[in-house]
Amino acid sequence: MNIPQLKQVLTDPDEFITNSQLKTLALEVLELIPMPGIEGLPLASGDIMGVVLRAAVGTTSVNGVTTNTDETPNREPVMDWLHTLDKEPMLDAVNDILATMAMAVLDRDRSRTVCIDFMDNPFHGTPESDEEIRRMAALDGTTQCHRYCTAFMIAQGKPLTLVVEPVDGGDSRADAVERVLARVELYPFEVDQILMDRAAYVGEVIGVLRAVAPPVFPVRTGKASLREKLAATASYMTEETICEGKEHEQTFPLAVNVSYQNGDRGKSGVKTTGYAAYGLEDRTPRQVATVYNKRSQIEKSYEKFREARAVTTTQSTTIRLFYVGVGFLLEQLWLVVQWAVLAQPRRGGRALPVEFTFSDAFLHGIERVLDDELGWKTKHRTNGFGLPVGYEHGLG
């Protein structure tokens, strides 16, 4: 992927970066996503992407943007054009762009720890097909969701997104993780560890993870032998087996970590957690827990991504996936600009700019520029009747 303006900004930045430059960079990134368009449509891709970008940075809909602006096309041609998106080329492009931006700030020669996670987006309404919908615990008044499997890498305390993959209704966890790791393996660095949550505690998934790198994940406590091991009052290392006598049987090193909650988050007393600790057999359970806790930044990343996701009522899973991709691309661009352009050199590493926040500085900065360029209609609702009769005489 070639991103000319981004390359220029990263390698030879001006003294200051403006909101207009941020908007230009964001559009340049989004315009790398292939869209076949509609035959005879008198619109350029920049016209459509400008609407999509404004919807994303304002967490509004395409209809909200086109209704409230003077210099954008109507909603119908924009949505018609978005409906021509081809899912697989679009998804490939999103992942290629994520990789291009990630590798702009990463050292190719270092091995990395990769985090795998599943993310659910609640879905209301009737889907195009039941095969695309997954079930989740009730949230926002629905148990339906679109599910995505993602890969992250924590660098300088910040999560870089490496891969985004949709998880269809017929996919097993192992299917999704295998596709994600196939994309991760295209990166030029070695993977030395994989961190995942309890979704990894399935024999087939463990096998998929181990084929790439040693995984670390918390265990589930349903099995009687495991509950007995987790009833310990002191930390220790042992072993446990899952799926005994079955196709996907796995025996793993088990780290039983006993810690004490001294009022953290309102909790107190003993906390015991078991971790499958492949590759960490020589570590203490506390060290294993420290390694696993690197995943803690993932939730913050999801919070930020959702601040840059356009809303929609469309049934199209491709358009919904596209909006998810746009959100992750914008978050990644923000991180790369922080590290490469704004971070100040200092002993021990670069100091990231605290004031360059994702929402207030980056997204709203782009939003202000787009509002001027797209002719955002500023409207203020009146009370409909003005001053009572007789009050107008005091105005003179």
Side-chain angles (χ1 to χ4, degrees):
M1 286 286 175
N2 182 29
I3 312 179
Q5 287 293 327
L6 183 59
K7 280 188 173 181
Q8 175 65 28
V9 168
L10 297 184
T11 58
D12 187 23
D14 294 332
E15 184 178 359
F16 298 98
I17 188 167
T18 65
N19 289 337
S20 181
Q21 286 175 308
L22 293 175
K23 184 271 301 183
T24 299
L25 291 177
L27 277 180
E28 186 179 55
V29 166
L30 298 188
E31 287 180 22
L32 291 172
I33 299 173
M35 289 196 174
I38 299 173
E39 185 177 351
L41 186 69
L43 291 174
S45 62
D47 296 327
I48 305 296
M49 284 302 187
V51 174
V52 171
L53 179 59
R54 179 58 182 82
V57 298
T59 56
T60 186
S61 64
V62 163
N63 183 62
V65 174
T66 56
T67 299
N68 290 293
T69 51
D70 292 319
E71 305 298 328
T72 57
N74 293 328
R75 174 188 179 278
E76 288 73 17
V78 174
M79 293 306 299
D80 286 346
W81 202 67
L82 291 177
H83 275 286
T84 70
L85 281 164
D86 192 337
K87 179 180 176 180
E88 294 306 323
M90 179 269 291
L91 182 61
D92 288 343
V94 167
N95 282 300
D96 286 348
I97 301 166
L98 287 171
T100 297
M101 289 195 286
M103 293 313 303
V105 296
L106 291 178
D107 183 348
R108 294 169 177 263
D109 297 327
R110 286 184 56 188
S111 60
R112 301 289 178 176
T113 296
V114 170
C115 305
I116 304 291
D117 203 39
F118 287 94
M119 176 188 71
D120 292 344
N121 279 340
F123 176 75
H124 299 80
T126 304
E128 284 184 313
S129 167
D130 288 339
E131 293 180 357
E132 75 197 41
I133 290 296
R134 304 300 299 239
R135 297 294 170 182
M136 63 175 189
L139 179 66
D140 294 339
T142 182
T143 59
Q144 297 184 127
C145 70
H146 287 108
R147 182 166 295 160
Y148 306 92
C149 188
T150 57
F152 290 86
M153 194 206 70
I154 308 300
Q156 297 182 11
K158 299 289 184 179
L160 282 170
T161 306
L162 303 179
V163 176
V164 177
E165 273 283 331
V167 184
D168 294 330
D171 280 336
S172 68
R173 287 193 181 102
D175 292 333
V177 170
E178 191 167 28
R179 290 200 306 273
V180 165
L181 289 176
R183 289 191 187 273
V184 168
E185 289 188 288
L186 296 176
Y187 277 80
F189 52 74
E190 294 292 325
V191 179
D192 59 10
Q193 199 86 58
I194 301 175
L195 307 181
M196 194 169 168
D197 64 9
R198 285 181 173 84
Y201 195 54
V202 177
E204 186 179 4
V205 176
I206 297 172
V208 170
L209 295 170
R210 291 185 68 192
V212 176
V216 179
F217 53 88
V219 299
R220 293 176 178 169
T221 57
K223 191 177 175 184
S225 63
L226 187 54
R227 288 199 303 271
E228 183 178 346
K229 291 175 181 177
L230 295 178
T233 57
S235 300
Y236 71 107
M237 297 291 293
T238 183
E239 285 188 344
E240 181 59 42
T241 300
I242 187 174
C243 301
E244 288 181 79
K246 299 180 181 178
E247 179 184 358
H248 300 292
E249 179 178 325
Q250 299 280 344
T251 297
F252 55 87
L254 174 66
V256 178
N257 184 55
V258 179
S259 58
Y260 296 88
Q261 303 174 98
N262 298 316
D264 297 338
R265 298 182 180 180
K267 298 179 180 179
S268 59
V270 176
K271 177 184 178 182
T272 304
T273 309
Y275 298 94
Y278 288 100
L280 301 178
E281 294 89 342
D282 60 341
R283 307 287 184 90
T284 67
R286 183 175 180 180
Q287 289 171 330
V288 172
T290 299
V291 169
Y292 179 76
N293 286 338
K294 292 178 182 178
R295 290 187 78 259
S296 61
Q297 290 291 331
I298 286 181
E299 287 304 320
K300 293 181 180 179
S301 179
Y302 284 159
E303 290 173 7
K304 285 183 168 49
F305 142 76
R306 290 188 171 94
E307 293 173 2
R309 182 164 57 97
V311 299
T312 183
T313 57
T314 183
Q315 292 179 310
S316 170
T317 55
T318 299
I319 294 178
R320 287 176 173 272
L321 175 61
F322 170 61
Y323 287 167
V324 167
V326 168
F328 279 118
L329 289 172
L330 290 175
E331 182 184 10
Q332 193 96 313
L333 177 60
W334 167 69
L335 284 169
V336 170
V337 169
Q338 271 196 90
W339 290 348
V341 180
L342 299 179
Q344 298 299 313
R346 67 176 181 183
R347 182 177 297 178
R350 295 188 169 200
L352 296 178
V354 176
E355 69 279 2
F356 189 63
T357 60
F358 184 55
S359 180
D360 292 339
F362 181 75
L363 296 180
H364 289 173
I366 293 173
E367 182 178 11
R368 285 191 289 271
V369 174
L370 285 172
D371 284 354
D372 288 340
E373 294 180 355
L374 302 180
W376 194 270
K377 302 171 185 176
T378 302
K379 298 179 180 180
H380 304 284
R381 183 176 296 278
T382 72
N383 57 25
F385 52 81
L387 287 173
V389 175
Y391 273 66
E392 70 272 15
H393 299 301
L395 295 176

